[in-house]
Amino acid sequence: MATPSPGYAITVRVETPSASGATSALVTAVTSAGGALTALDVVESHAARLVVDLTCNASDATHADAIVTALRSVDGVVVRKVSDRTFLMHLGGKLEVVSRVPLKNRDDLSRAYTPGVARVCMAIAEHPEDVRRLTIKRNTVAVVTDGSAVLGLGNIGPAAALPVMEGKAALFKQFADVNAWPVCLDTQDTEAIIAIVKAIAPVYGGINLEDIAAPRCFEIERRLRDELDIPVFHDDQHGTAIVVLAALTNALRVVDKRIEDVTVVVSGVGAAGHAIITLLLAQGVGNIVACDRHGALEAARVGADESRQWIVDHTNTENRSGTLAEVLSGADVFIGVSAPRLLTGADIATMADDAIVFALANPDPEVDPLEAGQHAAVVATGRSDFPNQINNVLAFPGFFRGMLDAGAREITREVMLAAAGAIADCVAEEELNASYIVPSVFDPEVAPAVAAAVRAAAVRDGNAAPVADHDAVEMGALDEESIPTYEPQRAAEGAGHVR
């Protein structure tokens, strides 16, 4: 499974004798150690010695050390410095604040700050609905975490979670021109998190909850949705569910099966599993069997966990029981959001003909994709080094773009289904095959398509804020037409911002 990855890229600066074949010996050392050489640059040349930068990908930190050791073993070579390219990217953080307006002279300053800004403050105080057009709120999202369930790293706390949240914010900007900012909270108390997010909400047009452990994440999201007038979205749940449904829609097209006819086995009943099951049921999937680490979920094991009880009440219509491998027999679809190496190729072989396998545990999936591919018709993972990567970046940038543009206050099942359909439809019929069921995360058509579908669904739901003719309709666009105008009568009534 371990292959060299850009995530473990290093640059090694070495000195080597300038004799003929010197660089060839360096290349041989890297490749013989299993490294993937991506660049070789001579940075200094002298009569007797060369200084060379070798950039290569490793499979993990231990493998990177082995590559360096191999270089040190070459006769006459001195390793000057080893740079981890991932750490270099994170030096100083990945985000910055940039002004959208010029501040070059006193006139600019008097409008952007005092005294002119006071007029805008009073306008918003008297007409709070104008805050979306006169501040950053219209296009800004808070990425909120408590650091309790970060990637596959577990409960590492808010400071250690910050690089992930920075990355999330960068993706929002890159793919949908949404300004997002990390909010890493030094508390894992449910009531405290709810109170803090409510207190900071006036600045933001939406809240993206991230990497908050189940079952607390369910209560936090439910309460914030009830108590705020902006969309609240837990990406670990709903972003994953949207992309899984999009991928399943196209995978079923490949194998020519209908969603209402298939049996789906879901491994993992935490935040992602619960949301996937909920959305698949909304789309009309035939039968779902949910499994935890002990096997098929049963009422006797759920205890006081309301989310698991809901799953028991709404799934497994055939009353299947047994281990994950046992209930997988005869199933059409496997979706794993759980733990690595739970299944073997032999287990996949027991599934129905033209089986679909989504093994999404990261970095090591529930079953080796190569083994699964020997028996399943379609295989997807969460990894970038295999076809059909199920990646939330296909969903959340465009999803929030659409919600913000619509001025939507609530995330409904209909907007999530619309987003999934838009992602699936980004793969044209002539492109669709077993190795291409979802578009690339770099496909520039995806975020606009998702945004348009979400915006339209929000309008159909009656979930969009009233939009004036001058409001922006392009993704994230604002121009002079969006500046509110006030009638003299309104000013005379004490609006305070027309003199």
Side-chain angles (χ1 to χ4, degrees), residues 3-10 30 34-38 55-59 63 67 85:
T3 56
S5 163
Y8 291 97
I10 57 172
V30 171
L37 187 69
T38 58
T55 300
C56 57
N57 296 337
S59 57
H63 184 209
I67 293 170
R85 301 191 72 201

Side-chain angles (χ1 to χ4, degrees), residues 285-408:
V285 72
N287 182 37
I288 297 175
V289 181
C291 295
D292 62 9
R293 69 187 64 184
H294 304 291
L297 198 61
E298 299 173 353
R301 292 206 314 275
V302 300
D305 190 325
E306 293 181 3
S307 66
R308 291 191 173 210
Q309 185 61 55
W310 186 93
I311 293 173
V312 168
D313 293 341
H314 291 84
T315 61
N316 201 5
T317 56
E318 298 174 356
N319 295 315
R320 295 193 184 194
S321 61
T323 66
L324 171 62
E326 289 170 344
V327 300
L328 191 63
S329 178
D332 300 280
V333 180
F334 169 74
I335 299 173
V337 280
S338 49
R341 298 178 293 276
L342 298 179
L343 298 170
T344 66
D347 297 320
I348 304 303
T350 69
M351 296 178 67
D353 292 342
D354 293 325
I356 297 167
V357 173
F358 293 175
L360 307 182
N362 248 333
D364 297 319
E366 287 82 358
V367 60
D368 185 322
L370 299 178
E371 289 188 32
Q374 296 176 11
H375 307 283
V378 180
V379 178
T381 72
R383 294 170 58 116
S384 60
D385 52 351
F386 285 93
N388 298 327
Q389 183 190 20
I390 307 295
N391 193 321
N392 288 18
V393 77
L394 289 168
F396 69 81
F399 188 89
F400 264 101
R401 176 78 277 150
M403 296 296 285
L404 292 169
D405 288 348

Side-chain angles (χ1 to χ4, degrees), residues 18 22 40 113 122 142 152 169 190 215 241-243 281 313 324-326 331 348 377 398 427 453 476:
S18 57
L40 186 153
Y113 201 52
M122 290 308 300
T190 296
I242 288 168
V243 183
L281 289 173
D313 293 341
L324 171 62
E326 289 170 344
I348 304 303
V427 179

Side-chain angles (χ1 to χ4, degrees), residues 78 85 117 138 196 214 271 328 343 397 410 413 434 437 491:
V78 176
R85 301 191 72 201
V117 72
R138 177 195 189 109
I196 292 169
L328 191 63
L343 298 170
E410 183 182 0
R413 187 174 299 166
I437 59 172

Side-chain angles (χ1 to χ4, degrees), residues 250-258 262 353-356 377-378:
N250 280 345
L252 290 171
R253 291 171 179 166
V254 169
V255 300
D256 195 24
K257 293 183 181 181
R258 301 189 309 166
V262 299
D353 292 342
D354 293 325
I356 297 167
V378 180

Side-chain angles (χ1 to χ4, degrees), residues 92-98 181:
K94 301 188 289 291
L95 304 175
E96 64 178 350
V97 175
V98 177
W181 195 254

